[in-house]
Amino acid sequence: DESAKIEKSSADRKADLEKQLAEANKNLAESVAKLPEDLGAKYKRIAQGMGHDALSPVQGKLCQACATTITSQMYIEVTNLAYVVCKSCNRILYLSEAEQRDRAEAMLHEVNHRVANSLAIVSSFIRLQKNAVEGQAAKDALEETQVRINAVALAHKRLYSSGNVTEVDLAEYLESLLSQLETSLVNA
């Protein structure tokens, strides 16, 4: 009975490994098919010659397989998902998960910064326009527009500065919004 369990476990493990190998071969074939013809043969040769050691993650401009520093141009190509081979160990380079996460976080931070700056610039333009117009109705309309833009900026700031971009603490947001409205009305 125990030997039958071991035999079944071994057979299951072998089937799992064969399935993983088939999936890896399929993924490799799909990747090679996407390569330009002149590079396809080169990368296929590397993959077949090195097997599971054909790939190496890049983290902090270092090939993790041989600890060689890659050039800035190679790093840019890797980050743009181009196929790059380490000149020292001849492995195909890719971004490590940590490097991908760091890069995505940096890009998200940059986008949030640009959105915040754009909203501040629009708000400033509206304030300048409000000071330049003569009619009270126009001033009131521009003031209302500026308050709305500031509300959007506040909501954006709450979203990107919180750990959870899918939810906003409504009580905290409304408290900040009311405080901002109160300040703008007192200063008006």
Side-chain angles (χ1 to χ4, degrees):
D1 187 43
E2 190 64 34
S3 65
K5 285 182 183 179
I6 292 173
E7 191 174 310
K8 183 179 182 328
S9 175
S10 294
D12 289 347
R13 179 72 178 136
K14 181 181 176 186
D16 285 345
L17 290 173
E18 287 174 349
K19 183 179 175 183
Q20 289 175 7
L21 180 61
E23 184 69 26
N25 285 332
K26 178 183 160 215
N27 290 340
L28 178 62
E30 289 173 0
S31 296
V32 169
K34 294 177 186 176
L35 289 171
E37 247 181 75
D38 58 333
L39 293 177
K42 177 181 178 182
Y43 289 105
K44 192 171 184 179
R45 222 178 17 259
I46 291 170
Q48 288 174 340
M50 299 180 111
H52 69 280
D53 284 335
L55 301 175
S56 175
V58 171
Q59 189 163 356
K61 291 191 176 181
L62 284 177
C63 169
Q64 294 297 296
C66 65
T68 301
T69 302
I70 64 172
T71 66
S72 294
Q73 181 61 38
M74 289 171 69
Y75 184 78
I76 290 169
E77 290 175 7
V78 170
T79 59
N80 290 330
L81 304 178
Y83 292 89
V84 179
V85 174
C86 177
K87 294 187 185 330
S88 296
C89 66
N90 288 324
R91 287 181 171 84
I92 301 168
L93 301 174
Y94 68 94
L95 285 181
S96 68
E97 287 183 28
E99 193 80 12
Q100 289 175 10
R101 186 179 50 254
D102 291 347
R103 188 166 185 262
E105 286 175 4
M107 288 190 327
L108 182 61
H109 178 74
E110 179 63 25
V111 167
N112 286 327
H113 180 71
R114 288 182 183 199
V115 168
N117 282 347
S118 297
L119 290 168
I121 289 170
V122 170
S123 180
S124 296
F125 282 151
I126 290 173
R127 186 177 359 83
L128 288 171
Q129 187 66 37
K130 183 180 78 172
N131 293 335
V133 297
E134 295 296 325
Q136 189 58 41
K139 284 184 184 270
D140 291 344
L142 288 169
E143 177 68 28
E144 186 178 325
T145 301
Q146 189 175 16
V147 168
R148 287 179 182 179
I149 289 171
N150 290 339
V152 169
L154 182 62
H156 176 260
K157 183 178 180 182
R158 291 272 181 233
L159 279 173
Y160 83 80
S161 63
S162 75
N164 184 357
V165 296
T166 60
E167 297 177 3
V168 175
D169 182 351
L170 191 58
E172 185 180 326
Y173 170 71
L174 290 175
E175 186 177 305
S176 296
L177 182 60
L178 289 173
S179 173
Q180 184 181 6
L181 284 170
E182 182 179 34
T183 303
S184 68
L185 291 174
V186 168
N187 293 337

